Amino acid sequence: MAKGNINVSVENIFPLIKKFLYSDHEIFLRELISNATDATLKLKHLTSIGESKSEYGNPQIEIKIDKEGKKLHIIDQGLGMSAEEVEKYINQIAFSGAEEFLDKYKDSSKDSGIIGHFGLGFYSAFMVAEKVEIITKSHTDAPAAHWICDGSPEFTLEASDKETRGTEIILHIAEDSTEFLEESRIRELLMKYNKFMPIPIKFGTKEINDPDFTPKTTKDKDGKETTEPHKQITVDNIINNPNPAWTKQPSELKDEDYSSFYRELYPMQFEEPLFNIHLNVDYPFNLTGILYFPKMTNDMNIQKDKIQLYQNQVFVTDNVEGIVPEFLTMLRGVIDSPDIPLNVSRSYLQADGAVKKISSYITRKVADKLKSLFNANREDFEAKWDDIKIVIEYGMLSEEKFFEKADAFALYPTVDGKYFTYDELFNKIKANQTDKDDKLVILYASNKDQQHSYIEAAKAKGYEVLLLDSPIVSHLIQKLESTKENISFARVDGDHIDNLIKKDDTTISKLTEEQKTELDTLLKEVIPSEKFSVQLEAMDSDASPFIITQPEFMRRMKEMQATGGGGMSMFGSMPEIHNLIVNTNSDLVGEILSTKTKKKQERLINQSLDLARLSQGLLKGEELTNFIKRSYDMIK
């Protein structure tokens, strides 16, 4: 038996390991299973090239709890170690790795965002154990070895009678970590970190129906059939899927494989995803994964953190900010890359060149997939548009490369349920919706019901009206206006239709200048100036007498501010002032002007104004109650 001291420059390193990583101490199991996996995969490689005398077979990793003995066992059938290798890899290399890690990060805040502690490896065991044993047998002819360390720099190393290849690590769980002797806690961690590890992981046993047993059915004298019960057999309980869908080639997978993998990732998600994108690249970096588009609403506060990040099938985090472009964090799925540095702070990660390449690759891949889906089945793509548009519009705003590619598949739906790409829309409306200054005006509505009368007025002129109702539409419109030449967007209720698309032909007013001045004075005496800016307009005689609009610029700025428009708080504090457009050619307006009594004039003005407010949803509370009562009185 050999005894010795681990060469440590940090005094009392074990309490430091435990204290520093206390908030994250559950990762010890991930570390130890990762090591066991590495040992098994290395053996696989050595046997494949004839460098090992051992047969690879069908190795697995086993996790066992000894609650009475307060021990947790992690057993693998991998490469194993000789006593010399234990001395080298455990006493020297692993410990110096742990020491270096602590030296670098011990002064950091616990919330500094260090993700992954792969550099720490084996010694993370001392976060939960007061004593650790390693019993190991090499794949070579070397005798087995038994290493014991009680959390001080002292260790013992002696021969062992272990006869089978591989390594068993025994953790003597500390009093403050007995949660790790609970079956439910260990199962939770295995499902969190090791659900897709590449080597089968056994955790206990389970009863299943014997596949080789066929139950017999017999009949009694009355002809009643009885079937004997199924024969049960005990089998290993393998808790992981070593060959998840993302590790396979897309050509190997069918639609149902992608669907079943989605259910495996999100067992509590009952809605099927709309479609998926399989990522598979090996140059200039390694990355695999599957991203799913779930059904989405217009809610910008949709739950993110649904994409899981793995490193060689080991779960690392579901906070993929900085690796996946912001607009795609609303998606779900898996990304696996050995090239992402995981033992560094998140700020370093976001500045890392490889990570930036990965982010732009994912953006390009998603754009290409959307284009191919659109080209392959446009009808299906249109049917899904409402469920995916929020992601696409957000991508167009936040990623320049995505914006450039989006012209090929971004859709602009109309209030009549037709869908245009930008080029199709441009060609459809340019003849009819170009104003006298040669600018193309794209009309849109945000609510078909609330803006119905305005939509109908536009359609009567033969104009197309888009339905753009996502919460970020104001930002997107601003972006389109600044990148496309000589166009402007106008919400259909932003002004009278003839003012939205001004043509050369102007309508002549029936009123003289004197009558217009008289009407203007009369209206301003009755209509509150702090709420409405009165404008007299000569329009068709059958157009509405009073039309309420809100200036496009002001409304758009307020909307952009509401969805994070930066330094535009000045618009949020400004009062809601609407334009009141009064049609000087309307018979009702003529009647208001010719009415002799002041009282009747005021009643006609107030009733007309309230009808216009009602059509815009601006009449509420007491004012609505008074309007209804007044209207009934008029009928009487």
Side-chain angles (χ1 to χ4, degrees):
M1 180 176 83
K3 283 191 175 187
N5 269 31
I6 299 163
N7 185 18
V8 200
S9 60
V10 178
E11 193 182 328
N12 227 355
I13 192 169
F14 293 97
L16 258 179
I17 287 175
K18 191 158 191 168
K19 184 182 174 193
F20 174 70
L21 289 171
Y22 189 75
S23 63
D24 237 1
H25 63 328
E26 67 178 38
I27 62 102
F28 82 92
L29 192 60
R30 180 188 74 182
E31 295 299 314
L32 296 178
I33 293 176
S34 294
N35 288 349
T37 303
D38 286 346
T40 311
L41 293 174
K42 279 173 184 164
L43 176 70
K44 185 179 187 180
H45 175 68
L46 291 178
T47 53
S48 71
I49 60 171
E51 290 283 314
S52 176
K53 297 175 183 176
S54 184
E55 286 288 322
Y56 182 67
N58 296 299
Q60 61 183 29
I61 295 164
E62 184 178 4
I63 314 300
K64 284 200 306 194
I65 296 171
D66 172 4
K67 200 164 181 179
E68 274 186 37
K70 295 186 177 177
K71 290 185 284 192
L72 183 67
H73 300 250
I74 294 99
I75 306 159
D76 71 57
Q77 296 159 8
L79 212 54
M81 289 180 283
S82 64
E84 290 76 17
E85 286 169 328
V86 171
E87 173 65 42
K88 180 180 176 183
Y89 294 117
I90 300 299
N91 293 346
Q92 294 169 31
I93 295 174
F95 211 100
S96 63
E99 189 181 10
E100 186 186 332
F101 180 88
L102 279 166
D103 199 42
K104 195 168 180 183
Y105 291 117
K106 68 183 177 193
D107 297 325
S108 304
S109 150
K110 276 193 188 145
D111 302 322
S112 62
I114 295 165
I115 51 172
H117 302 288
F118 287 94
L120 197 58
F122 167 73
Y123 278 92
S124 63
F126 285 95
M127 291 192 291
V128 299
E130 59 190 14
K131 182 167 86 172
V132 178
E133 298 180 60
I134 302 172
I135 303 168
T136 183
K137 171 91 168 69
S138 172
H139 66 111
T140 64
D141 294 331
H146 186 178
W147 179 92
I148 304 167
C149 181
D150 64 358
S152 72
E154 292 177 5
F155 69 88
T156 62
L157 183 58
E158 57 191 13
S160 162
D161 56 5
K162 179 175 169 63
E163 292 178 4
T164 54
R165 177 199 74 211
T167 300
E168 177 174 5
I169 293 177
I170 304 166
L171 307 185
H172 296 258
I173 299 297
E175 282 303 320
D176 61 359
S177 298
T178 53
E179 63 184 281
F180 299 111
L181 294 169
E182 299 299 329
E183 190 180 315
S184 58
R185 180 72 169 118
I186 295 299
R187 185 183 294 107
E188 175 200 340
L189 293 182
L190 292 172
M191 295 309 287
K192 178 177 177 179
Y193 292 112
N194 308 103
K195 193 175 179 179
F196 300 113
M197 292 288 278
I199 306 297
I201 299 169
K202 177 188 172 185
F203 185 51
T205 58
K206 62 182 178 182
E207 299 286 313
I208 63 163
N209 291 335
D210 185 349
D212 299 323
F213 175 75
T214 307
K216 288 179 184 168
T217 301
T218 55
K219 286 185 181 178
D220 63 14
K221 61 181 190 311
D222 300 323
K224 187 180 176 185
E225 290 188 347
T226 306
T227 303
E228 66 179 316
H230 258 287
K231 185 180 173 187
Q232 297 274 296
I233 57 169
T234 303
V235 296
D236 290 348
N237 180 34
I238 303 298
I239 58 94
N240 61 322
N241 171 3
N243 302 296
W246 84 81
T247 63
K248 299 171 185 174
Q249 291 297 318
S251 56
E252 297 175 54
L253 299 166
K254 299 186 176 74
D255 286 348
E256 52 265 35
D257 297 320
Y258 287 111
S259 290
S260 64
F261 181 58
Y262 184 75
R263 284 191 293 276
E264 199 176 342
L265 281 174
Y266 310 106
M268 302 309 292
Q269 191 63 39
F270 302 112
E271 269 194 315
E272 286 288 310
L274 298 166
F275 49 81
N276 65 74
I277 295 170
H278 197 131
L279 305 166
N280 196 342
V281 64
D282 53 19
Y283 181 81
F285 46 79
N286 284 296
L287 181 131
T288 53
I290 300 170
L291 296 179
Y292 292 91
F293 269 75
K295 270 194 170 186
M296 300 211 187
T297 62
N298 275 348
D299 182 10
M300 285 297 286
N301 297 316
I302 195 160
Q303 190 181 1
K304 296 184 184 181
D305 295 344
K306 286 288 187 182
I307 294 176
Q308 299 174 12
L309 181 68
Y310 288 76
Q311 190 197 62
N312 292 327
Q313 292 176 241
V314 183
F315 175 78
V316 177
T317 181
D318 53 14
N319 181 348
V320 293
E321 183 190 340
I323 299 159
V324 172
E326 170 82 16
F327 77 102
L328 293 177
T329 57
M330 292 187 258
L331 303 188
R332 293 180 180 163
V334 165
I335 288 170
D336 190 332
S337 175
D339 291 339
I340 295 174
L342 294 171
N343 55 347
V344 292
S345 71
R346 205 166 277 292
S347 58
Y348 179 89
L349 183 66
Q350 286 162 3
D352 185 78
V355 171
K356 283 185 174 168
K357 287 197 186 91
I358 287 170
S359 180
S360 60
Y361 165 77
I362 293 171
T363 300
R364 191 174 77 247
K365 186 77 177 176
V366 169
D368 291 344
K369 175 72 172 183
L370 289 166
K371 183 181 176 182
S372 71
L373 288 166
F374 175 76
N375 291 339
N377 189 341
R378 177 164 180 163
E379 194 179 331
D380 181 59
F381 194 85
E382 287 179 359
K384 289 171 177 168
W385 178 253
D386 271 352
D387 292 315
I388 62 173
K389 67 184 178 193
I390 194 81
V391 177
I392 293 172
E393 290 172 354
Y394 191 14
M396 289 169 73
L397 277 171
S398 57
E399 297 284 333
E400 205 55 45
K401 287 272 191 293
F402 189 81
F403 180 79
E404 289 164 15
K405 284 177 169 277
D407 264 355
F409 54 79
L411 292 177
Y412 299 87
T414 71
V415 290
D416 299 320
K418 291 180 281 187
Y419 291 84
F420 297 107
T421 63
Y422 181 81
D423 287 344
E424 289 167 352
L425 178 69
F426 182 87
N427 292 326
K428 176 85 166 60
I429 67 174
K430 67 180 176 186
N432 200 23
Q433 289 181 219
T434 301
D435 67 12
K436 62 184 178 62
D437 299 320
D438 217 29
K439 181 172 262 197
L440 181 73
V441 181
I442 301 170
L443 299 174
Y444 72 100
S446 58
N447 186 305
K448 275 202 297 190
D449 293 333
Q450 283 179 14
Q451 293 149 13
H452 183 266
S453 61
Y454 300 92
I455 293 166
E456 290 304 305
K459 283 163 73 174
K461 299 262 186 188
Y463 298 154
E464 286 287 355
V465 181
L466 301 181
L467 180 61
L468 304 178
D469 58 1
S470 81
I472 54 174
V473 80
S474 298
H475 296 273
L476 184 62
I477 284 168
Q478 206 86 341
K479 171 95 174 167
L480 290 163
E481 285 175 341
S482 65
T483 51
K484 307 287 185 187
E485 277 186 36
N486 215 21
I487 66 153
S488 70
F489 281 77
R491 203 167 86 175
V492 76
D493 60 344
D495 205 334
H496 180 257
I497 191 63
D498 291 340
N499 289 340
L500 292 177
I501 305 178
K502 286 190 171 169
K503 301 288 187 178
D504 284 326
D505 50 324
T506 53
T507 308
I508 297 164
S509 177
K510 290 179 182 178
L511 302 183
T512 64
E513 288 304 316
E514 258 183 72
Q515 287 173 309
K516 281 199 266 188
T517 304
E518 185 187 343
L519 177 63
D520 189 53
T521 305
L522 183 59
L523 292 167
K524 284 176 178 172
E525 284 173 2
V526 179
I527 293 165
S529 60
E530 70 276 7
K531 290 185 180 177
F532 297 99
S533 170
V534 176
Q535 295 172 355
L536 303 184
E537 298 273 355
M539 299 183 282
D540 295 340
S541 56
D542 57 355
S544 297
F546 282 28
I547 299 169
I548 292 174
T549 65
Q550 190 174 14
E552 176 79 14
F553 174 76
M554 182 69 71
R555 179 188 47 70
R556 204 188 285 184
M557 290 301 112
K558 280 175 176 278
E559 285 173 1
M560 286 171 73
Q561 185 200 339
T563 51
M568 289 189 287
S569 56
M570 56 179 280
F571 295 104
S573 59
M574 291 182 82
E576 288 278 346
I577 294 185
H578 291 82
N579 293 332
L580 176 66
I581 300 167
V582 178
N583 181 5
T584 59
N585 289 342
S586 157
D587 291 343
L588 178 60
V589 172
E591 190 183 332
I592 289 169
L593 199 55
S594 61
T595 296
K596 300 298 178 202
T597 68
K598 199 86 169 161
K599 198 171 180 183
K600 190 179 178 187
Q601 276 181 327
E602 283 182 15
R603 196 168 74 244
L604 285 171
I605 291 168
N606 281 324
Q607 190 72 1
S608 302
L609 176 63
D610 282 353
L611 281 165
R613 292 168 78 196
L614 190 68
S615 74
Q616 277 282 60
L618 296 172
L619 200 59
K620 293 171 183 156
E622 187 181 353
E623 290 177 322
L624 178 59
T625 305
N626 292 340
F627 167 77
I628 292 167
K629 186 175 182 299
R630 191 190 327 127
S631 301
Y632 278 130
D633 289 343
M634 283 179 175
I635 296 168
K636 284 189 267 180

